[in-house]
Amino acid sequence: METEPDVDRADELATLARTVREGVGRLNWRMRFEAGPPAPGPAVLAVLSRLYRGGTHTPGELADAERIHPQSLTRILASLAERELITRTPDPADGRRSLIDITPAGLRELRQYSIARETWLAAALERTLSPTEQELLRLAAGLLARIADS
């Protein structure tokens, strides 16, 4: 008995999803390792990156955007404020809320960590992939970003 095309396609997509997840996970782990200690945690990096890319946010907006529980975000923001990596100012539109911004020190920390990872990754790409494979990866990176933003 032949399998239905939809079932075959679903199996192919499930296999592709697993392969992509495993590859991205392994690459992420390796880049964290190669960046050297002390590496900020993923949630800290996500918050700093969001503030860098998106500008000022309220804590609620950050929690929603990064899918972080508000209680966890409260601890992260307290730690970042203590290290002067973010500022917290009252929201002029609603005094009960605060507005969170990344500081120059927060931007430096984020950039230093990113540079260490990107330096290792660039060397690994040069050492491991042909120019054609590098171009394929460039295309795939755009696709991965599109999926992440969907």
Side-chain angles (χ1 to χ4, degrees):
M1 174 178 214
E2 290 185 37
T3 58
E4 294 181 36
D6 288 346
V7 173
D8 290 342
R9 184 73 180 138
D11 288 344
E12 288 174 13
L13 287 172
T15 299
L16 175 59
R18 184 173 39 260
T19 302
V20 169
R21 179 187 54 79
E22 289 172 353
V24 168
R26 288 178 60 199
L27 181 59
N28 189 41
W29 178 88
R30 181 71 186 266
M31 285 191 302
R32 278 196 311 249
F33 174 79
E34 294 294 337
V44 168
L45 288 172
V47 168
L48 290 175
S49 294
R50 172 74 53 182
L51 292 170
Y52 169 67
R53 287 189 324 272
T56 304
H57 282 67
T58 66
E61 291 167 342
L62 282 171
D64 290 345
E66 294 303 324
R67 294 176 176 85
I68 299 173
H69 292 292
Q71 298 84 352
S72 298
L73 182 64
T74 298
R75 289 189 297 276
I76 291 167
L77 293 178
S79 169
L80 291 172
E82 182 180 304
R83 295 169 46 209
E84 298 182 347
L85 301 180
I86 61 164
T87 58
R88 190 188 301 239
T89 56
D91 183 343
D94 182 349
R96 297 168 297 172
R97 293 190 317 183
S98 58
L99 301 175
I100 310 298
D101 282 298
I102 191 169
T103 65
L107 183 56
R108 273 192 308 278
E109 172 130 345
L110 180 63
R111 194 66 204 133
Q112 287 170 349
Y113 182 71
S114 295
I115 287 170
R117 294 181 340 164
E118 290 162 8
T119 299
W120 173 83
L121 184 55
L125 294 173
E126 177 68 26
R127 175 176 71 245
T128 308
L129 301 179
S130 71
T132 300
E133 290 170 322
Q134 291 173 24
E135 184 56 32
L136 286 171
L137 187 57
R138 185 179 341 290
L139 294 170
L143 296 174
L144 289 171
R146 211 166 92 203
I147 292 167
D149 291 341
S150 70

